[in-house]
Amino acid sequence: MAALVVPEFAAGISVELDEGEIRTMLARAGRVEHDARSFPLVSRGNALGTMRVGETRFEYDALELPMWEELALRIAVAVDAAQVYAREHHVADTLQRALLPERLPVDDRLVFDAAYLPGAEEAAVGGDWYDAFRLPDGRIAVSIGDVAGHGLRAAIVMGEVRQAFRAAALNPNSPSLVLERANTIVNMRPNPVMVTALFGIVDPGERTITYATAGHPAPILALPDGNAVMLPKDGVPLGIIDEVGATDWSFTIPPGGIFALYTDGLIEYSRDVLDGEKRLLDALRHGVVTGDADPAHALLRRIFNERTNTDDVAALVMRSADVGGSTFAFMFSAIPMAVPLVRRSLQRYVERLGFDEDETFRVLTAAGEALANAVEHAYGANRGAVRVHGSVTDSTLVLTVDDDGRWKPVQRREERGRGLPLMRALMDAVEIRTHQTRTQVRLTMELREGRVSA
């Protein structure tokens, strides 16, 4: 504005705002003497300040006064709009922070850390949240989500949805059912709004989480050896249709591992989602190896160290205490991508016990066959749970793989059917216990004397 006025039409111009008893210089250009002409800045009947114009250089005297009055009016409207927007931004940011939990659950086996970062652009404040609270039975409910839109309205809806999750979680038969209940509440609003969300139930004693998603970015499980993978997701966002159609997924967070939940602002800041996901996985790999004391805050620092977050971001990270021992446990939904996670965790377990390379190979190969069989045969199209348990007693390793499905008949093919003979060749004993609704594969391996260090 000043570049258009000075020096073509006036020697100088200044805009001064009145904030209570304090007058603030908003803009100034050129030379404005004490005898400069003053024009009040008034919008919606409120006096906002003064525009002062230095010596004028106007060719048409009849148009001079109306032009300065019109300019003062336009400046007043712009200033008023900016002040209103700033107040709404402040209210939305304050409300959003007030609705986030003041404290996270404390547990010796799982460390919870959460972080929120408002968008660098004022318009980006709004609807991201995270939550974690203990249920009456001792388990911990977690949720994270993102309300479409920004500003005060998004922050208000965020508060409603977060409370809806808390109410629905009082009877948590399954996370997917909690999402359906929350979806019903969102759809009852006079003006439904789209919400992406993830809800999960954590069992600290077992170090497991069962979760379901509604159009939300996939959670990430990072193992202590530096491997990190995006886990399954499905379901449509809340507020779209009557049914979310989400699936319950279950995974163990192994000792030293971290489980990360986040909103899309953590991967969409560059408008290249694939690159954002890669950077996020790299940051989590680094964080799980270095053992960050504040994993959620450290994650945001790594991602936005040299970048600007254009949208607000929420992150909730759970880190499992890295405690060794003579037992091993891993529970997972029966999907192929989970098998490498179990194998890597099992490898770390036996190496900590002092297994040599040959023993490690035998265990991992036999276990891999048992895991693959459970995934393929136990549940068919359904995604039930597979439980792996290992223990060492009296120089013997016992590893069991359990499922609760009914194995589908094996289709005999020339290239198949070698899994059981391979397990028998590698293990000292293989036992398959089949019940009507349960199958257990029990692998036993005798250890060389002095091998176990746990």
Side-chain angles (χ1 to χ4, degrees), residues 304-444:
F304 298 116
N305 181 36
E306 297 178 352
R307 305 174 188 87
T308 300
N309 59 307
T310 55
D311 195 2
D312 53 343
V313 176
L316 176 60
V317 177
M318 291 153 273
R319 188 182 70 236
S320 179
D322 194 6
V323 179
S326 60
T327 61
F328 173 83
F330 203 114
M331 186 263 287
F332 64 96
S333 293
I335 52 177
M337 61 86 63
V339 174
L341 297 175
V342 185
R343 283 173 52 90
R344 290 184 181 278
S345 298
L346 183 59
Q347 180 177 357
R348 188 168 188 257
Y349 164 71
V350 297
E351 288 178 349
R352 279 184 157 189
L353 292 177
F355 283 35
D356 61 24
E357 185 176 348
D358 177 66
E359 291 169 328
T360 300
F361 171 80
R362 291 168 58 194
V363 172
L364 296 182
T365 304
E369 290 294 331
L371 293 169
N373 286 338
V375 168
E376 181 176 1
H377 299 294
Y379 298 103
N382 299 321
R383 301 302 182 193
V386 177
R387 297 172 299 278
V388 185
H389 183 269
S391 61
V392 175
T393 56
D394 299 329
S395 298
T396 301
L397 168 70
V398 177
L399 191 68
T400 59
V401 179
D402 292 86
D403 64 73
D404 300 317
R406 292 187 176 185
W407 282 42
K408 63 182 181 181
V410 177
Q411 298 178 356
R412 296 189 177 277
R413 296 202 301 264
E414 184 177 347
E415 71 274 13
R416 300 179 61 97
R418 298 187 177 90
L420 185 56
L422 181 59
M423 286 188 282
R424 294 192 188 282
L426 294 170
M427 295 288 101
D428 293 297
V430 177
E431 183 180 359
I432 300 178
R433 301 175 179 178
T434 303
H435 305 275
Q436 187 173 4
T437 59
R438 181 186 177 193
T439 300
Q440 181 186 82
V441 177
R442 182 183 178 91
L443 309 175
T444 304

Side-chain angles (χ1 to χ4, degrees), residues 270-313:
S270 67
R271 306 304 179 190
D272 185 343
V273 177
L274 294 179
D275 181 65
E277 290 177 344
K278 179 181 180 300
R279 291 179 182 273
L280 175 58
L281 289 169
D282 289 343
L284 285 169
R285 291 186 185 103
H286 188 275
V288 73
V289 172
T290 56
D292 296 319
D294 54 347
H297 291 82
L299 178 61
L300 266 59
R301 288 195 298 268
R302 288 193 180 97
I303 295 293
F304 298 116
N305 181 36
E306 297 178 352
R307 305 174 188 87
T308 300
N309 59 307
T310 55
D311 195 2
D312 53 343
V313 176

Side-chain angles (χ1 to χ4, degrees), residues 170-255:
L170 293 177
N171 185 24
N173 294 328
S174 75
S176 59
L177 181 57
V178 172
L179 286 179
E180 296 293 353
R181 292 172 178 169
N183 184 52
T184 299
I185 294 174
V186 172
N187 283 329
M188 290 173 60
R189 300 186 80 256
N191 297 304
V193 62
M194 187 182 78
V195 181
T196 70
L198 180 151
F199 181 84
I201 300 172
V202 180
D203 187 332
E206 300 294 332
R207 303 175 192 247
T208 61
I209 180 169
T210 300
Y211 70 89
T213 62
H216 200 75
I220 296 176
L221 178 62
L223 304 181
D225 65 357
N227 281 276
V229 295
M230 288 189 165
L231 298 179
K233 63 171 183 174
D234 57 9
V236 299
L238 310 181
I240 301 297
I241 56 178
D242 291 340
E243 293 187 7
V244 175
T247 303
D248 289 334
W249 307 96
S250 298
F251 293 92
T252 290
I253 310 173

